[in-house]
Amino acid sequence: SLLYSNPISYGSYPVVYPYVYQTLPGISEGSSSGPKFYPYSTKPKVEDGEEEEEVVEPVLYASRLAARNLDLCYFLGSDIFSSHVACNENWADGTSEGVKRYINELTFETNKLLGENNLRLSWKGPYARHDADQRYPTNPSLDTTSVFSKGCDAVIFLVFNKFAADCQTPVDGHQYAGQNKGGMCETQAGTGYAIVVDQGYLEDVWTGPQILAHHILRMLIADLPEKEKTCPAKTSLLHPHLYPGQQKVDQCTVDKLNKSKVSLRPCMQN
């Protein structure tokens, strides 16, 4: 049978199952001593003639999901208006098209992390959460079931850090990078969703794609025992902690993807 494969390139930037959290190292509840997140990259721009830093390259392997699509449906809350999205000139043009450009870029960078030879991510939406004014989704199952008829393989709720209007001041960010519940093809049951906190930038790394990639992988191995859903290496996208710019699809991740039967579910056969 076909096997999962490592992505060719790695971006420089990141049934009912129990909730699974991905935590940020160095942060405790109420702490202000953890890493600081910015609404922009703090890395100096590369001048003409200078070489860019080498990005993390994954190992290559044969593909199980070649030419298959994964349809993501995005939900947003009102926190996007004070997020790093509102500080990016490519996205913050005051129109819905600007927001769609952000989601498109987020999805594209995530696809590069997961491997374009494994999955082809496409997206629908964005849709407004029924509790858009709340900091976090209060009943994600309600919104998840509402888009079942739209052909969503998984639902993604995007949550953001709140930045000052000056688009300069860093913030402590959220304690957790996100959580997920269920696996692919479960939207009718109100599961198969992830709450993803796009923290903005940690120094020079856009954290959103890496966090989203982590939770998509978690949903792709949702049928495995809980103790088998993480990888020990800090450089793995299935490590329980976020290390921006350092994590990739490694051999441990590959083995778990190939052991799982989630990719054999009906909604993933296209």
Side-chain angles (χ1 to χ4, degrees):
S1 60
L2 294 174
L3 299 175
Y4 278 92
S5 67
N6 275 14
I8 295 174
S9 61
Y10 183 84
S12 58
Y13 301 87
V15 184
V16 177
Y17 300 91
Y19 285 95
V20 178
Y21 290 89
Q22 184 190 33
T23 58
L24 294 161
I27 292 184
S28 59
E29 190 69 49
S31 170
S32 60
S33 59
K36 297 291 185 181
F37 294 92
Y38 289 79
Y40 59 91
S41 173
T42 59
K43 181 180 179 180
K45 291 185 178 180
V46 177
E47 300 294 336
D48 291 340
E50 293 184 4
E51 293 186 2
E52 293 193 34
E53 293 184 15
E54 185 177 355
V55 299
V56 181
E57 291 290 345
V59 186
L60 298 178
Y61 60 102
S63 176
R64 177 178 182 175
L65 288 185
R68 293 190 189 178
N69 294 324
L70 183 61
D71 298 315
L72 305 177
C73 289
Y74 287 98
F75 275 89
L76 300 174
S78 59
D79 57 347
I80 191 172
F81 297 116
S82 58
S83 71
H84 68 285
V85 178
C87 296
N88 187 301
E89 61 182 12
N90 294 322
W91 306 328
D93 61 359
T95 70
S96 60
E97 292 304 312
V99 175
K100 289 179 180 179
R101 284 195 296 272
Y102 155 71
I103 292 178
N104 201 58
E105 191 168 343
L106 172 68
T107 307
F108 175 74
E109 293 296 334
T110 301
N111 208 155
K112 287 166 61 178
L113 294 176
L114 295 172
E116 294 166 290
N117 55 329
N118 284 330
L119 293 168
R120 292 177 183 167
L121 299 183
S122 58
W123 61 273
K124 300 174 182 179
Y127 306 102
R129 284 177 13 216
H130 75 280
D131 53 358
D133 291 333
Q134 298 296 315
R135 189 181 188 194
Y136 301 108
T138 58
N139 187 359
S141 293
L142 179 63
D143 286 327
T144 298
T145 55
S146 73
V147 292
F148 165 68
S149 63
K150 299 185 182 299
C152 308
D153 299 334
V155 172
I156 307 299
F157 295 89
L158 293 175
V159 176
F160 303 93
N161 285 333
K162 182 177 182 179
F163 291 100
D166 63 7
C167 288
Q168 296 290 327
T169 308
V171 298
D172 294 327
H174 297 251
Q175 180 185 9
Y176 294 106
Q179 65 185 49
N180 58 75
K181 187 175 184 180
M184 303 303 171
C185 314
E186 297 180 15
T187 55
Q188 187 175 18
T191 56
Y193 65 80
I195 300 171
V196 174
V197 183
D198 187 345
Q199 302 267 10
Y201 292 84
L202 186 56
E203 296 181 350
D204 63 323
V205 180
W206 180 18
T207 61
Q210 192 169 322
I211 295 170
L212 177 54
H214 168 86
H215 288 288
I216 288 175
L217 288 171
R218 293 283 310 200
M219 289 190 285
L220 283 167
I221 59 170
D223 58 340
L224 298 184
E226 195 59 38
K227 62 181 180 181
E228 297 183 23
K229 292 181 180 179
T230 59
C231 289
K234 291 181 179 179
T235 54
S236 174
L237 276 170
L238 279 178
H239 191 275
H241 295 283
L242 171 70
Y243 292 91
Q246 303 176 33
Q247 294 172 320
K248 64 179 183 179
V249 173
D250 62 350
Q251 190 59 49
C252 172
T253 303
V254 174
D255 293 342
K256 294 180 187 304
L257 288 167
N258 287 320
K259 184 176 181 180
S260 170
K261 298 297 189 291
V262 170
S263 66
L264 301 179
R265 294 179 177 180
C267 79
M268 297 198 64
Q269 302 312 303
N270 61 338

